[in-house]
Amino acid sequence: MKLLLVEDDPTISVPLAEGLTREGFTVTVASTGAAALAAAPADLVLLDLGLPDLEGRVVCQRLRERSSVPIIVVSARGEEIDRVILLELGADDYVVKPFGFRELVARIRAVTRRMASPDSTVGLTAITVGDLVIDPRTRVVTLAGVTVSLTPKEYDLLACMAVDPGAVRSREQLIHDVWDEHWWGSTKTLDVHVASLRKKLRPEMIETVRSVGYRLTEG
Ligand code: CA
C-alpha cells in the first residue's frame, strides 16, 4: 500500500516514514504542498496542515478534486481549525500532534479497511434505488446513468443507507457504521456528509426522520 506523507518537519517525517515502512507501507515523503500535489498517486495521504508553502486545507481540497484517495489530516495541538470545513474539503479522519505511532497506524488501517478491497466484495451485486445505482464492487455510484463523484466517507454513508432502502437508519447507527470510535465525535460530521450527499444526488433522496435519523428514498 502506497502512502504519501506530507510533512515539512524532518524530525517528524523521518522517524514516521521509517516506522510506517516497517509496518509494510511504501512511503513517499513530500515536504511542501507543491511536492504533495506533484507526487505520484497514493493509496492514502497523511497530510500535515502546517506546510511552508500552501495551506494544508488547500492541499486537501486540491487532492480531493482529482481523486477519492483517503486523506488523514494531521494538525498541531491547539491549532485553530474548522473541522466542519475540513470535512467539506474531503478529509476522512483527523489526528492531533503529538499522536502515538500505534494510534496512527490504527487510524490508517481503519480508514483503509473501509475502502472495500476488490477481493472481499466479489459477488456483491449493485444496489438499485430508483435511478440510483451503487456498485459495492467498484464503489461507483451513478444517478440516472451519470457517475456521481463521492468522497470515501460519502460513499460509505450512502452504501450504509442503501443496504435497506426506505428503512430509517438512526443517527447513532450511521455514525457507528461509517466512522469509528476515534472519530472526533461531533454529530455535525454526519449532517455535513448528508448535506453534501443531498447536493450531489437529489436533495429529496435523503429524507430526515425527525429526532431519529435518515431514510434513503427514490426522491
Ligand atoms: Ca508542519
Side-chain angles (χ1 to χ4, degrees):
M1 190 179 127
K2 281 178 285 182
L3 207 148
L4 176 63
L5 171 59
V6 188
E7 171 63 71
D8 59 314
D9 183 349
T11 67
I12 295 173
S13 65
V14 171
L16 190 53
E18 281 171 6
L20 291 168
T21 303
R22 275 197 302 276
E23 290 295 315
F25 299 105
T26 304
V27 184
T28 304
V29 178
S31 55
T32 62
L37 293 171
D43 301 312
L44 185 132
V45 178
L46 214 53
L47 175 66
D48 175 33
L49 279 191
L51 294 170
D53 56 340
L54 288 170
E55 264 191 71
R57 48 199 255 181
V58 173
V59 177
C60 184
Q61 188 176 26
R62 295 211 187 138
L63 284 171
R64 179 55 74 232
E65 275 165 7
R66 60 188 199 202
S67 90
S68 62
V69 63
I71 300 172
I72 299 180
V73 161
V74 179
S75 112
R77 190 179 293 274
E79 202 165 38
E80 201 50 48
I81 54 148
D82 189 327
R83 292 163 171 188
V84 172
I85 288 176
L86 270 184
L87 286 173
E88 284 173 343
L89 295 178
D92 294 281
D93 202 353
Y94 170 85
V95 288
V96 176
K97 288 178 187 172
F99 48 81
F101 180 69
R102 285 288 133 212
E103 182 202 349
L104 179 67
V105 171
R107 300 279 193 103
I108 292 172
R109 301 229 190 270
V111 166
T112 52
R113 198 171 52 233
R114 287 188 291 260
M115 305 286 293
S117 78
D119 286 351
S120 67
T121 52
V122 164
L124 287 183
T125 50
I127 303 163
T128 303
V129 184
D131 56 359
L132 177 72
V133 180
I134 302 161
D135 186 346
R137 202 176 46 79
T138 57
R139 297 174 66 92
V140 169
V141 173
T142 59
L143 183 64
V146 179
T147 303
V148 184
S149 169
L150 299 179
T151 69
K153 276 285 183 288
E154 287 164 0
Y155 175 87
D156 290 340
L157 179 59
L158 180 62
C160 203
M161 288 192 279
V163 167
D164 191 2
V168 182
R169 301 298 306 265
S170 73
R171 299 177 60 87
E172 292 72 25
Q173 223 170 8
L174 290 169
I175 289 170
H176 176 268
D177 290 352
V178 178
W179 289 271
D180 61 32
E181 71 276 14
H182 297 301
W183 187 247
W184 54 72
S186 161
T187 58
K188 184 98 181 133
T189 301
L190 175 61
D191 301 318
V192 168
H193 281 75
V194 167
S196 156
L197 272 178
R198 279 178 172 152
K199 253 184 260 170
K200 292 182 178 181
L201 306 173
R202 285 188 296 272
E204 61 275 20
M205 292 185 82
I206 302 175
E207 197 182 300
T208 303
V209 181
R210 243 188 124 98
S211 70
V212 181
Y214 295 102
R215 179 186 5 232
L216 181 66
T217 71
E218 293 184 18

